[in-house]
Amino acid sequence: MLKTILTRLVRDEFNRTLSFEEGQRPDLPECPDDLPRLLYLHVPFCRRLCPYCSFNRIPFEKETCRSYFKALRKEMGLYKARGYDFQGLYAGGGTPTVMPEELVETLHLANELFAVREISVETNPDDLRAAGETLAGVPVQRLSVGVQSFQDGLLKEMDRYEKYGSGQQIAASLRELQGRFPTLNVDMIFNFPTQTEAMLEDDLCRLVDLGVDQITYYPLMVSDYTRREMEAKMGLLDYRKEERFYRRIVERLTPAYRFSSAWCFSKAASGGIIDEYIVQYGEYAGLGSGSIGYLGGACYANTFNIPEYVRLVEAGRPPIQARRLFSRREMARYDLLMNLFGLKLPKSYLFKKYGPRAYFGLARDLGAFMLIGALKYKEGSFCLTGRGAYLWVIMMREFFTAVNNFRDYCRKRM
């Protein structure tokens, strides 16, 4: 009952909060300070499209992709001209490694323009060899591989078997790549409609046997529009088994791995950079078509129309399509959600950033979660408990679903 109520409450809250303002095209503001920020680069090209994915993506076409990367590099210059600097960089998609030479040129430029200390790049199993050969010299600190499952049946349902090979072939490629990057992360998904406990257990055994540096295990998250396409191919989504699957993942992985977030498991004590960069960086710039950023208390989205994106950037104009300015209370609740998903929120952090009024405005939220055993107060920080970890998985699942719904809304208006 609690999980159902929480799902409905946060779903309504996030859909309301992520209702973007449109109309006059917003400009990119000047950078007001030297806070640590992350640069997110979105590359929307895939050789084939997965049915459950809600990110902005289109089928790969070489010349379109080449002109897109050129515009992406020019957009970085727009941020540089407005005084922004970035300590972290995350390249996602789509498939960022679809044209490795273009990606490498883009990453080199980012290192020239900004004081980037850590770079994370997403890739797919068919690009592993090329990624290992081309990205190690950038250097890339973290390579994140979208595996999703080693089960051949599920890979076929996801339309990934023909693209990327069998689960056994993918595992062999991962084993070959280990040690080439400081962190090799494997992205997995649980709670597919046809996924059984035996399938999950087999995936967990393969992961433990591989011993990769980091594992990110997402619950299946689909937008309302993508849900129809996914259910037509894979069946109805059932949340009733989600918690059971999550508990088994935690039980199986935590002897060898530590929590970096409620659904990320790392061998390194520090955890390093993770897929949920929004947890590690209070602000981040979203570059590329369909990218979403959060700067100065405003969440904004670039145009989802790729030709329009290229045209605007080539004209020296920020390609921002819509934005939503958060109130101080909304900003504080956003920080509460993200920091606790990263396991801990120092009491002094909110007080220093928002002052006593905004901090005490969160007392009801904090008190309610402490009352149900989701949080505990320890050494000056609010910390996520074992029970709270799954509740935060629910909230982050609904947060990203709301973001995906917004992406679908923007695509329909292209």
Side-chain angles (χ1 to χ4, degrees):
M1 178 66 72
L2 172 63
K3 297 186 285 290
T4 301
I5 293 172
L6 181 64
T7 297
R8 290 175 179 171
L9 286 175
V10 298
R11 182 173 297 170
D12 291 343
E13 175 73 11
F14 291 144
N15 282 328
R16 182 192 64 79
T17 302
L18 290 170
S19 55
F20 283 62
E21 304 153 0
E22 294 190 277
Q24 185 176 2
R25 190 176 293 278
D27 197 4
L28 177 65
E30 299 285 332
C31 182
D33 52 50
D34 58 355
L35 288 174
R37 293 178 173 89
L38 179 132
L39 178 68
Y40 173 75
L41 305 178
H42 187 70
V43 181
F45 302 95
C46 289
R47 293 182 180 89
R48 290 174 69 175
L49 308 182
C50 297
Y52 54 83
C53 180
S54 298
F55 283 88
N56 190 34
R57 77 268 195 262
I58 64 169
F60 171 67
E61 197 282 316
K62 189 173 183 179
E63 291 309 312
T64 303
C65 185
R66 195 180 301 281
S67 64
Y68 180 88
F69 267 108
K70 181 180 177 182
L72 192 60
R73 291 190 287 270
K74 188 161 186 176
E75 190 183 5
M76 287 196 292
L78 300 180
Y79 281 83
K80 178 69 174 179
R82 285 162 173 75
Y84 286 92
D85 196 10
F86 301 99
Q87 288 70 50
L89 186 153
Y90 191 103
T95 312
T97 54
V98 71
M99 291 186 75
E101 70 281 2
E102 290 288 342
L103 176 62
V104 167
E105 183 178 347
T106 304
L107 296 179
H108 279 309
L109 178 61
N111 275 326
E112 292 174 12
L113 294 176
F114 311 113
V116 176
R117 295 195 302 266
E118 55 185 8
I119 296 176
S120 180
V121 173
E122 291 180 354
T123 192
N124 281 315
D126 60 336
D127 285 340
L128 286 181
R129 180 162 295 177
E133 293 172 353
T134 59
L135 295 180
V138 174
V140 170
Q141 283 75 36
R142 178 179 179 271
L143 189 70
S144 182
V145 186
V147 172
Q148 323 313 3
S149 175
F150 295 103
Q151 305 303 304
D152 290 347
L154 288 178
L155 292 173
K156 290 174 182 177
E157 289 180 1
M158 289 183 266
D159 196 23
R160 294 175 66 89
Y161 184 89
E162 186 178 334
K163 289 186 289 186
Y164 306 134
S166 68
Q168 184 175 355
Q169 291 171 319
I170 294 169
S173 296
L174 289 169
R175 195 180 300 278
E176 183 181 336
L177 194 67
Q178 287 192 95
R180 302 286 292 275
F181 296 89
T183 299
L184 177 63
N185 174 75
V186 172
D187 277 352
M188 303 290 289
I189 295 178
F190 68 96
N191 203 33
F192 285 111
T194 58
Q195 188 178 29
T196 65
E197 291 187 34
M199 291 177 180
L200 177 68
E201 195 67 37
D202 186 70
D203 278 350
L204 288 167
C205 287
R206 293 200 194 200
L207 289 167
V208 171
D209 179 62
L210 282 169
V212 294
D213 307 299
Q214 192 179 74
I215 301 165
T216 305
Y217 233 126
Y218 298 99
L220 183 62
M221 298 177 284
V222 292
S223 66
D224 294 338
Y225 173 79
T226 309
R227 184 186 303 270
R228 291 190 290 272
E229 181 182 357
M230 192 248 351
E231 289 180 347
K233 292 187 176 183
M234 304 185 71
L236 297 176
L237 181 58
D238 182 3
Y239 289 119
R240 290 174 297 179
K241 61 182 182 180
E242 184 184 73
E243 181 177 10
R244 186 170 70 254
F245 280 14
Y246 176 73
R247 299 295 180 196
R248 182 53 186 158
I249 290 167
V250 172
E251 181 182 25
R252 191 73 174 86
L253 295 182
T254 48
Y257 293 85
R258 299 164 60 101
F259 281 103
S260 290
S261 77
W263 62 43
C264 180
F265 306 84
S266 300
K267 281 194 169 181
S270 63
I273 192 171
I274 62 176
D275 279 352
E276 288 68 54
Y277 53 85
I278 58 178
V279 173
Q280 295 179 305
Y281 287 85
E283 294 195 353
Y284 47 94
L287 280 68
S289 175
S291 187
I292 294 176
Y294 180 67
L295 295 172
C299 192
Y300 66 93
N302 279 353
T303 176
F304 281 62
N305 184 302
I306 291 177
E308 181 185 27
Y309 165 77
V310 173
R311 177 181 60 80
L312 287 169
V313 174
E314 288 296 333
R317 298 171 56 192
I320 300 173
Q321 175 182 357
R323 73 172 181 178
R324 169 73 147 77
L325 185 63
F326 286 6
S327 68
R328 286 181 65 81
R329 175 170 169 76
E330 287 172 334
M331 291 167 61
R333 295 187 84 178
Y334 174 85
D335 272 343
L336 174 71
L337 174 69
M338 297 304 165
N339 278 274
L340 283 171
F341 185 70
L343 309 179
K344 185 169 69 173
L345 173 64
K347 181 180 178 180
S348 58
Y349 173 84
L350 285 175
F351 198 92
K352 181 179 179 181
K353 188 171 182 179
Y354 299 107
R357 176 174 293 184
Y359 169 74
F360 290 120
L362 295 174
R364 183 186 302 176
D365 302 285
L366 291 166
F369 282 113
M370 292 185 73
L371 186 64
I372 63 174
L375 300 178
K376 63 182 179 181
Y377 188 72
K378 181 180 179 182
E379 298 177 354
S381 295
F382 297 96
C383 303
L384 210 58
T385 65
R387 186 183 191 199
Y390 178 63
L391 297 182
W392 247 257
V393 165
I394 291 175
M395 289 192 287
M396 290 297 286
R397 180 237 290 161
E398 292 304 317
F399 171 79
F400 285 120
T401 299
V403 173
N404 289 339
N405 284 333
F406 172 73
R407 290 189 178 108
D408 287 341
Y409 169 78
C410 289
R411 269 192 290 269
K412 293 175 185 177
R413 295 176 64 86
M414 289 195 312

